[in-house]
Amino acid sequence: MPDPANCFCLWAEVDLDALARNVRQLKAFLGSAKLLSVVKANAYGHGAVPVAAAALAAGADCLGVSSVVEGVQLRRGGVDGAIVILGHTNPWDAASIVEHRLTPSVTTKQLALALACVAAPQGRDLPVHVKVDTGLNRYGLIPEDVPAFVGFLQGLPGLIVEGVYSHFATADETDKAYAHRQLEAFVAVCRLLPDGICRHIANSAAVFDMPEAHLDMARPGIGIYGLYPSTTVGRRLKLTPVLSLKALLARVFAVAAGAAVSYGRTWVAPRPSVLALVPCGYADGLPRSLSNRGEMLVGGRRAPIVGRVCMDQCVIDVTDVAGVAPGDEAVIIGRQGDDEITADEVAEWAETIHYEILCGLAARVPRLYRQNSQWMHNSTLLD
Ligand SMILES: *Cc1c(COP(=O)(O)O)cnc(C)c1O
C-alpha cells in the first residue's frame, strides 16, 4: 500500500504494533488474571475486526462487545475468539447468539429460557456471564438476587455459567472508597456461588490502580488503545496511543485584517493572516465545540482553529508557521515533529472525555492499518 499521505484527504492511522505492545504489557501486568480486550463501539473508533484480531494475536484471552450486532460483525470478519456481550440482549436474539457462538450477559429468566431453548436441542453448552450491579446502578442484578439466579441458570440444559462480573463507577478517581465498597460487595456475592466461575470487575482504571480487583479476569478498554482512563490514574505502563488523525491542507490563502471566517463570522482576523482549509468537520468526529478553541499541528507547530467547525471542513490560522502549502499534512490527533496532540487534549478543548472523541470518529473517515512496521490495509466507506 502506498503512503497514506498520497491516498486520502483525511484519514486515521491505526498502529496495530502499538496495540499489540499495549496488550502484551497489560497481560504481563495482570499476571495470572486473564485479559478480556474490550472492542465495543468499533473498538473505540479504531475498527473492530482488525483490532480484535490483533488483540487476540497479542495474547488477549477474549473480547468484549456491547451488543449482539457487534459480536456478529466480528464473526463475519473472521474473528474466532470468545466474545462476551457486555450489554443487554433481547430474548429474540437468542438464535443469533447461539449461531455465532457469542457469550451473552444474562440477567433475566426470559433471556435465559430463550437461550436454553435454542442451545439445548442442538446439544450445545452455551457459556453465559451474570452481571451484578454493585453500585453503578445501571445494568445488572442486585447482589441479593444473584445466588438464586445462578442456581436457576445451572438448572437449565444448554447453559453454563462461565462468568460473573460487575462494573465500577469511580475506579478512575483518586478517592477509591466507593470502588472498594463495590469490590467488597462483589467478592461477597461471589463467595456464595459455586467454585470455578470466572469473576471479573476491573476496567482499565482498576487494572492500573486496584490490583486487588484483578480477580480471575480484567476488562481493559481504553488502556489497550494506549490511553489512561483519567489524569489521576497511575501511569504504570509505557502505553502508546494507537490512533492518529491526519488531513492534507486543501487550500492555503491570505486574508486582510478584518476578514471574518466561517459560518456566523465568529472569528475576525486581527492582522493580515494566512489561513488553511482542513477537510475535517463535525461529521467526521471533530467536535463543533472546538470552534475558536482547538489546535492542529502543521509544520511541527500549533495552528489554532479559527471560526466555526463546519460539517465537513474547518479553517486553521497558519500565519505563524513558515512556508505552508496546500497538500501539507495537518495532525489533528497524534505526533508531528516534537509535539503531540493527544485525544485527551482534544477532549479537554471539547469539554468531554477522550473516549467520546475516539468513539465519535465517523465511519466515513478511512482507517489505515499499520502492522509489522508496514501499511497493511485500509478500510473506507466503499468496503
Ligand atoms: C466499556 C467497558 C469496559 C472498559 O472500560 P475502560 O475504561 O475503557 O477500560 C469494561 N467493562 C465494561 C462492562 C464496559 O462496558
Side-chain angles (χ1 to χ4, degrees):
M1 201 176 95
D3 193 288
N6 300 322
C7 304
F8 300 99
C9 300
L10 169 70
W11 69 96
E13 297 177 5
V14 179
D15 183 350
L16 296 175
D17 296 330
L19 182 102
R21 284 198 302 277
N22 296 336
V23 168
R24 282 197 296 267
Q25 283 189 77
L26 283 159
K27 180 93 180 137
F29 189 68
L30 284 170
S32 60
K34 287 193 195 169
L35 188 154
L36 176 152
S37 199
V38 177
V39 296
K40 65 191 177 189
N42 196 28
Y44 291 37
H46 294 61
V49 170
V51 164
L56 289 172
D61 296 282
C62 58
L63 303 164
V65 298
S66 73
S67 62
V68 177
V69 68
E70 288 188 343
V72 173
Q73 181 195 17
L74 293 180
R75 289 289 183 245
R76 288 205 184 149
V79 174
D80 203 35
I83 300 172
V84 181
I85 300 172
L86 299 169
H88 171 76
T89 300
N90 286 315
W92 51 84
D93 281 329
S96 184
I97 286 190
V98 174
E99 179 192 341
H100 294 99
R101 294 175 291 113
L102 305 176
T103 304
S105 296
V106 182
T107 56
T108 66
K109 290 188 173 175
Q110 291 95 311
L111 177 60
L113 290 166
L115 291 165
C117 283
V118 180
Q122 297 181 23
R124 294 271 298 277
D125 275 327
L126 185 77
V128 302
H129 289 220
V130 174
K131 177 77 182 276
V132 189
D133 182 359
T134 53
L136 183 58
N137 286 312
R138 201 178 66 176
Y139 176 51
L141 290 171
I142 57 169
E144 291 70 31
D145 291 345
V146 170
F149 188 68
V150 168
F152 168 78
L153 294 177
Q154 290 185 315
L156 287 178
L159 300 191
I160 292 203
V161 182
E162 179 184 73
V164 58
Y165 74 105
S166 191
H167 195 41
F168 286 121
T170 58
D172 61 337
E173 295 179 8
T174 316
D175 182 352
K176 302 284 199 255
Y178 193 78
H180 276 122
R181 279 191 357 237
Q182 283 194 266
L183 178 59
E184 273 162 34
F186 180 63
V187 172
V189 73
C190 289
R191 269 194 221 108
L192 305 175
L193 304 179
D195 288 342
I197 300 179
C198 174
R199 305 160 301 154
H200 50 108
I201 189 169
N203 53 5
S204 298
V207 167
F208 296 120
D209 279 2
M210 300 174 66
E212 64 280 16
H214 291 178
L215 303 180
D216 303 318
M217 182 162 82
R219 306 186 307 266
I222 198 80
I224 70 171
Y225 305 103
L227 299 166
Y228 283 89
S230 72
T231 52
T232 61
V233 166
R235 269 53 184 162
R236 289 179 220 290
L237 302 175
K238 255 191 147 16
L239 301 177
T240 313
V242 172
L243 183 137
S244 310
L245 181 63
K246 300 180 178 178
L248 299 186
L249 299 180
R251 178 189 175 206
V252 177
F253 56 107
V255 296
V261 169
S262 192
Y263 293 129
R265 310 179 73 233
T266 59
W267 185 84
V268 178
R271 55 177 175 169
S273 302
V274 182
L275 306 180
L277 178 66
V278 181
C280 181
Y282 60 78
D284 299 296
L286 187 71
R288 187 168 176 275
S289 54
L290 261 56
S291 300
N292 293 310
R293 285 190 85 162
E295 296 172 347
M296 295 181 189
L297 298 173
V298 176
R301 309 268 317 258
R302 286 186 175 232
I305 296 175
V306 293
R308 292 226 175 108
V309 173
C310 307
M311 187 181 291
D312 315 305
Q313 39 200 317
C314 66
V315 175
I316 55 176
D317 181 357
V318 292
T319 312
D320 296 328
V321 191
V324 177
D328 285 0
E329 188 175 276
V331 172
I332 304 164
I333 297 172
R335 291 194 154 277
Q336 192 188 60
D338 296 331
D339 206 350
E340 178 175 19
I341 292 177
T342 60
D344 308 61
E345 198 175 0
V346 174
E348 209 172 293
W349 292 324
E351 293 181 35
T352 181
I353 52 173
H354 45 341
Y355 293 75
E356 191 179 29
I357 300 298
L358 295 174
C359 297
L361 258 191
R364 77 180 192 184
V365 178
R367 268 66 163 180
L368 279 63
Y369 294 94
R370 233 181 131 71
Q371 198 160 29
N372 304 321
S373 307
Q374 284 176 19
W375 294 109
M376 295 299 287
H377 59 104
N378 58 47
S379 72
T380 76
L381 262 194
L382 305 181
D383 295 341

